Amino acid sequence: MNDALIDWEALNHTEGEIPWPAIDAAIAAIVADPELWEALADVYTNSRLLEDPIGYVELYAPLILGEAASRLAPGEPREKILEFLLDSMVDAYDEEDEICLMQTLHACGRMGRWILPCVLRRLEDPDGDDRYVQDTWGLLDLVRHETDTSLRERVARLCIARLEEVADDRLDIDDLLEPVSTLAAMKWTGAREIMERLDHERHAEIDEEYGRDFQDNLAAIRAGPQASNTLPDLWWDNDLHDFLDGQREEWDSARANGDSEQEHEDDQPLDEKVDEDTDRPYDEANAKQRAAEWGAAFAASDEAKLLPASRHFDAADDATNLIDFGMAYFGMDIATWGVAGWEELLVTLCPRKFTADPEWFAGLAPFATELLRWLDSAGLVPGGKTIAAEVAQWGPEIVGRSNDPAYWGMSKSFMIQAMAEGVEPGNQEQLNAFVERYNARLADAENDAPPPHTMVPPATYIREQAKVGRNEPCPCGSGKKYKKCCAR
């Protein structure tokens, strides 16, 4: 592998025009030597760890990988690029990074309909992170070019099942758009019954959310395959130059406005700050105090005394951190989280975000079970004991996900790799040395100096550290604000 064929300096620029010669050369280099994709993927991942990226490689890398993969023959490199881009899309969705989300979505769409089996497999996984990423569902629109009957049937079944979940109030109305659009593009008459049910039972909500779009899609489904309407082009079919020019303008604007946005947020009084996920006022100081008081009360309770001695010792801190983390994600009123909220917190978010030893994750379900029993007894979570009975069954899944790199977030993956090489959490000197070694490995074996895409080490994540403010750097080490990372 010779990554000297990629002009890293040009891709990392911060001023001037888009370096199309360097982008085209990078695409050609990966097509000629598919192993080069890993070097570009590593550079992209490193850049995503920084609050202020070194240059524009974060903007170009997904598009380069998508274009190169679309020209590769079937095989492992092409499949690995797709999996990487889909994982990156989930990360961008989690972080509400609209620019990187569009980059990765466009890159996946450019690969064409051969990606459908992989996308379907991920969406069919009931425990997969992709199921809640609407943009992954949007990739199913590629089925309009597919002639494989069995594949088309799988897509239709999956989309109809999605609509049924909305009809049964298991999903929100805003989860309709992508599967409805796909079924209409397929002119799938088998979706008519569920579509008409939704139109009858939820007409006002759907009309408010989608206007005429839903009715137009329903009309296309009613008309069926004999309809002669022409489908609009898929947006990722647009010329790459035009797409990237538009994205570059947004990127420049985002970088220019970032500081002023931060200043505006910090100037807001507490009673005007709003939790972005719940639209309810988020009183940061009150949340910290409330979680700490409950954590201390739980640690002194009879329920906490049922925990193993090692776990009881940290009960106050663990309960405080877990409740505070959940408040930032689901809102201040913990009585409203329900089974679904606790399941997402314990089964998805903790394994994805938290760096802790296996024993901690093994004890998380029993710990949360006793915490919920106490919250119920204290009148804070009515029905908490019923939720606790559900939580008690989640232990194996929590442990499995915490041990499976496929479920880890980007920052956790980086820290796990650092710790595997002997880096002690909290030791910045060791972490700096690890980052130097990491960057050096990206360079070609014939060139001892790393390419000019070196990264700045993230602050080390230490689970036991004090709660940080929502606008402060996230303690997990991502380099992002807390509210944009682990507060999600």
Side-chain angles (χ1 to χ4, degrees):
M1 180 176 71
N2 182 14
D3 69 353
L5 297 173
I6 297 178
D7 189 343
W8 301 107
E9 184 174 359
L11 295 179
N12 266 328
H13 77 110
T14 56
E15 297 178 354
E17 300 299 320
I18 294 175
W20 285 112
I23 290 173
D24 292 337
I27 294 171
I30 293 173
V31 172
D33 183 2
E35 291 185 5
L36 280 173
W37 84 268
E38 294 181 354
L40 189 60
D42 282 339
V43 173
Y44 172 78
T45 300
N46 289 349
S47 179
R48 298 278 292 135
L49 290 170
L50 307 178
E51 178 76 20
D52 296 309
I54 297 169
Y56 288 112
V57 68
E58 184 176 350
L59 186 66
Y60 306 137
L63 301 174
I64 291 172
L65 291 172
E67 286 292 321
S70 69
R71 306 178 192 180
L72 291 175
E76 187 175 84
R78 191 174 74 164
E79 298 291 339
K80 285 186 174 181
I81 291 174
L82 173 60
E83 294 283 359
F84 172 79
L85 289 173
L86 289 171
D87 287 341
S88 298
M89 190 160 69
V90 172
D91 286 335
Y93 183 89
D94 282 344
E95 296 161 7
E96 294 188 346
D97 189 331
E98 291 294 330
I99 292 177
C100 285
L101 182 61
M102 290 300 100
Q103 308 305 89
T104 49
L105 178 59
H106 188 279
C108 290
R110 292 289 290 181
M111 295 187 200
R113 68 179 189 269
W114 69 265
I115 75 171
L116 279 171
C118 179
V119 173
L120 277 169
R121 174 176 52 78
R122 293 170 71 116
L123 290 176
E124 288 168 343
D125 180 359
D127 299 321
D129 289 338
D130 300 82
R131 288 182 62 81
Y132 67 84
V133 181
Q134 295 175 349
D135 301 273
T136 308
W137 287 87
L139 289 170
L140 294 180
D141 256 357
L142 288 163
V143 76
R144 65 178 61 183
H145 303 307
E146 182 57 60
T147 57
D148 186 322
T149 302
S150 63
L151 199 60
R152 288 175 61 85
E153 289 176 350
R154 280 179 66 192
V155 170
R157 284 197 303 271
L158 188 64
C159 289
I160 290 173
R162 186 79 164 175
L163 302 193
E164 289 172 344
E165 289 184 274
V166 175
D168 294 337
D169 284 330
R170 288 176 285 156
L171 290 174
D172 296 329
I173 285 291
D174 59 6
D175 290 307
L176 278 178
L177 180 60
E178 286 76 13
V180 165
S181 174
T182 297
L183 290 166
M186 297 170 69
K187 303 175 184 177
W188 197 266
T189 55
R192 178 173 177 171
E193 180 179 351
I194 185 62
M195 289 277 287
E196 290 179 340
R197 175 190 166 190
L198 284 163
D199 186 44
H200 174 70
E201 297 178 357
R202 312 283 288 277
H203 179 84
E205 296 173 77
I206 292 172
D207 187 61
E208 181 180 357
E209 183 76 20
Y210 298 116
R212 286 293 311 170
D213 288 346
F214 184 87
Q215 297 300 325
D216 291 343
N217 286 325
L218 177 55
I221 288 172
R222 284 169 172 162
Q226 66 271 23
S228 58
N229 58 307
T230 302
L231 294 172
D233 290 338
L234 294 169
W235 69 275
W236 48 68
D237 289 337
N238 294 336
D239 179 77
L240 179 59
H241 285 233
D242 292 339
F243 171 76
L244 192 47
D245 283 336
Q247 288 286 288
R248 170 66 187 278
E249 291 175 6
E250 291 187 28
W251 179 273
D252 287 338
S253 177
R255 287 172 68 102
N257 294 334
D259 291 339
S260 61
E261 279 185 15
Q262 175 66 60
E263 291 169 3
H264 174 70
E265 290 172 357
D266 290 342
D267 287 342
Q268 285 182 283
L270 278 176
D271 59 358
E272 293 181 9
K273 290 186 179 181
V274 174
D275 184 281
E276 297 172 3
D277 291 304
T278 63
D279 292 330
R280 292 193 292 270
Y282 181 87
D283 186 336
E284 183 176 329
N286 189 32
K288 290 181 180 180
Q289 181 180 354
R290 191 181 305 179
E293 289 175 354
W294 292 346
F298 168 66
S301 70
D302 290 338
E303 287 83 359
K305 292 175 183 177
L306 297 175
L307 297 169
S310 59
R311 198 77 187 207
H312 188 203
F313 181 80
D314 292 324
D317 287 341
D318 282 351
T320 298
N321 292 335
L322 198 62
I323 292 171
D324 196 15
F325 182 47
M327 280 184 178
Y329 196 94
F330 301 108
M332 300 281 287
D333 187 359
I334 64 173
T336 65
W337 295 0
V339 174
W342 283 94
E343 183 175 13
E344 184 172 355
L345 175 64
L346 298 170
V347 178
T348 299
L349 295 174
C350 287
R352 182 176 181 80
K353 298 284 190 179
F354 286 10
T355 303
D357 56 48
E359 289 76 18
W360 189 86
F361 282 108
L364 181 55
F367 176 85
T369 297
E370 298 304 328
L371 175 59
L372 275 159
R373 292 179 64 242
W374 174 80
L375 288 168
D376 191 338
S377 298
L380 298 171
V381 180
K385 292 176 182 176
T386 301
I387 300 174
E390 297 279 343
V391 172
Q393 308 301 316
W394 299 342
E397 189 171 10
I398 293 172
V399 172
R401 288 190 170 199
S402 70
N403 290 326
D404 186 351
Y407 287 102
W408 298 346
M410 185 186 306
S411 299
K412 177 174 179 177
S413 297
F414 180 84
M415 282 306 304
I416 291 292
Q417 185 173 347
M419 292 165 65
E421 296 191 21
V423 174
E424 298 177 5
N427 190 320
Q428 199 65 31
E429 183 178 348
Q430 291 183 4
L431 186 59
N432 289 340
F434 168 75
V435 170
E436 291 182 7
R437 296 195 302 273
Y438 188 91
N439 284 321
R441 287 200 291 265
L442 300 181
D444 182 74
E446 299 176 358
N447 183 0
D448 293 332
H453 50 267
T454 55
M455 62 171 286
V456 176
T460 305
Y461 175 83
I462 304 175
R463 181 179 57 81
E464 295 82 6
Q465 70 185 33
K467 173 72 168 64
V468 296
R470 281 165 62 79
N471 286 313
E472 296 173 11
C474 184
C476 77
S478 68
K480 299 181 180 296
K481 299 177 192 175
Y482 175 63
K483 69 178 182 181
K484 293 294 186 183
C485 189
C486 288
R488 288 279 161 216

